Amino acid sequence: MNDIESELLDIVSQVRMHLEYQKMLGMRSIELIPAVTASPTDKADAPSSANKEQTPAIKKEKVPKTEKLGPCLSAGLAAVREDLGNCSRCKLHKGRKNIVFGEGDPNAVLVFVGEGPGYEEDQQGRPFVGAAGQLLTDIIVKGIKLRREDVYICNIVKCRPPNNRNPEPDEISACEPFLLKQLEAIKPKIIIALGNIAAKTLLKTGEGITSLRGRWQTYHGIAVMPTFHPAYLLRNPKDKALVWEDIKKVIMEMDKIRKG
Ligand code: SF4
């Protein structure tokens, strides 16, 4: 098989995975929009300034003015964001540049929850955009065979802890209610908890990620798979194999959900 054939097969496989994922979300049909090519005839038929008044105006949809909140914000998530406001409920607000609310599919079946924004995330107002974010994107795209925008990505705390220290208990307590509201709006079937802080916070346990990872748990009725944080994997690449074991369990569970 040559390179082009294998690339085509890869594209077909990714399209199939995406359609199956959309089906799992309840999509029953695909709207085909014919390509429109302007031709000289089209131009000739175009309304002149004289008959412009009879031409119905094309109304542009209002795009809500938000921070960088990802491609789509459902009404439920928008309400949570509005409720959060210019939050100063904990001391992390003092050093942040941006609130990193989260981004992705507002109806995602799969949600990734990390610990908190780092420098790059704070600068851009988006979760997981640095080197660890690239690794997470690889896990989603190459491992799970979804697009990054098919899942939802957020953190336990939405403002960057100074010097990337761990978020403190009072900060977690102040911010977690908003994570819970986000999850209630999204209604995912599976959460992947990335790293110690995310796993301990969601599962209300003192157990560390090394013993928690790879074992299904629940958070408010949602299945949770704890695994190592991508930033940890950058420092300990040998443990990528363990994360792949965990991700394979998630893929199997998503398969089951897909098949009903
Ligand atoms: Fe508010 Fe959460 Fe930021 Fe604290 S971390 S200021 S609770 S948004």
Side-chain angles (χ1 to χ4, degrees):
M1 191 183 301
N2 63 34
D3 283 354
I4 293 177
E5 283 171 334
S6 102
E7 204 173 313
L8 273 174
L9 276 179
D10 197 37
I11 291 168
V12 169
S13 151
Q14 286 196 29
V15 169
R16 189 173 64 81
M17 291 286 296
H18 178 66
L19 289 174
E20 282 179 356
Y21 182 77
Q22 294 300 322
K23 188 178 164 194
M24 189 163 76
L25 293 177
M27 186 185 76
R28 293 290 171 265
S29 62
I30 302 169
E31 191 182 350
L32 295 174
I33 301 167
V36 178
T37 313
S39 68
T41 327
D42 293 330
K43 276 189 185 160
D45 290 338
S48 66
S49 55
N51 64 6
K52 254 182 196 166
E53 281 166 22
Q54 284 120 42
T55 310
I58 299 169
K59 279 186 189 165
K60 275 192 178 174
E61 264 185 36
K62 262 193 179 176
V63 178
K65 198 179 172 213
T66 63
E67 298 162 327
K68 292 128 185 163
L69 292 171
C72 189
L73 197 64
S74 66
L77 282 176
V80 181
R81 182 62 191 89
E82 202 178 327
D83 189 13
L84 186 68
N86 187 23
C87 184
S88 57
R89 291 170 179 84
C90 84
K91 57 189 177 296
L92 290 182
H93 80 277
K94 291 178 193 163
R96 75 166 178 239
K97 180 174 178 194
N98 284 300
I99 289 179
V100 181
F101 184 69
E103 69 179 24
D105 184 345
N107 301 305
V109 168
L110 179 60
V111 170
F112 288 84
V113 178
E115 175 181 318
Y119 175 80
E120 273 307 321
E121 288 77 15
D122 179 47
Q123 292 296 306
Q124 296 188 35
R126 296 182 55 211
F128 284 90
V129 287
Q134 184 53 57
L135 184 51
L136 178 63
T137 304
D138 284 349
I139 290 171
I140 296 165
V141 175
K142 296 178 186 169
I144 308 178
K145 306 276 188 225
L146 289 174
R147 300 172 310 164
R148 187 174 151 118
E149 55 267 40
D150 290 332
V151 304
Y152 195 84
I153 305 173
C154 52
N155 284 301
I156 296 289
V157 293
K158 303 188 188 313
C159 302
R160 182 190 179 210
N163 303 314
N164 293 342
R165 66 158 167 77
N166 289 342
E168 292 172 354
D170 60 316
E171 297 156 356
I172 292 173
S173 305
C175 214
E176 192 191 349
F178 292 94
L179 171 65
L180 183 54
K181 286 181 193 172
Q182 277 173 294
L183 293 169
E184 283 168 354
I186 299 166
K187 299 184 178 57
K189 297 275 193 280
I190 300 171
I191 296 171
I192 298 185
L194 297 166
N196 230 358
I197 298 289
K200 283 181 170 181
T201 302
L202 296 183
L203 305 175
K204 306 284 175 274
T205 174
E207 250 187 278
I209 189 67
T210 308
S211 65
L212 286 172
R213 62 145 285 275
R215 291 190 282 126
W216 285 109
Q217 318 273 339
T218 55
Y219 176 74
H220 292 266
I222 307 164
V224 176
M225 174 55 69
T227 195
F228 290 125
H229 194 286
Y232 167 87
L233 291 182
L234 290 175
R235 300 189 301 271
N236 301 275
K238 64 175 174 30
D239 282 342
K240 281 183 182 175
L242 294 175
V243 170
W244 178 230
E245 289 305 312
D246 306 341
I247 294 299
K248 280 195 286 189
K249 289 178 188 172
V250 171
I251 293 171
M252 279 167 59
E253 194 57 28
M254 289 183 75
D255 260 352
K256 275 194 224 160
I257 295 168
R258 189 179 295 136
K259 285 170 188 158

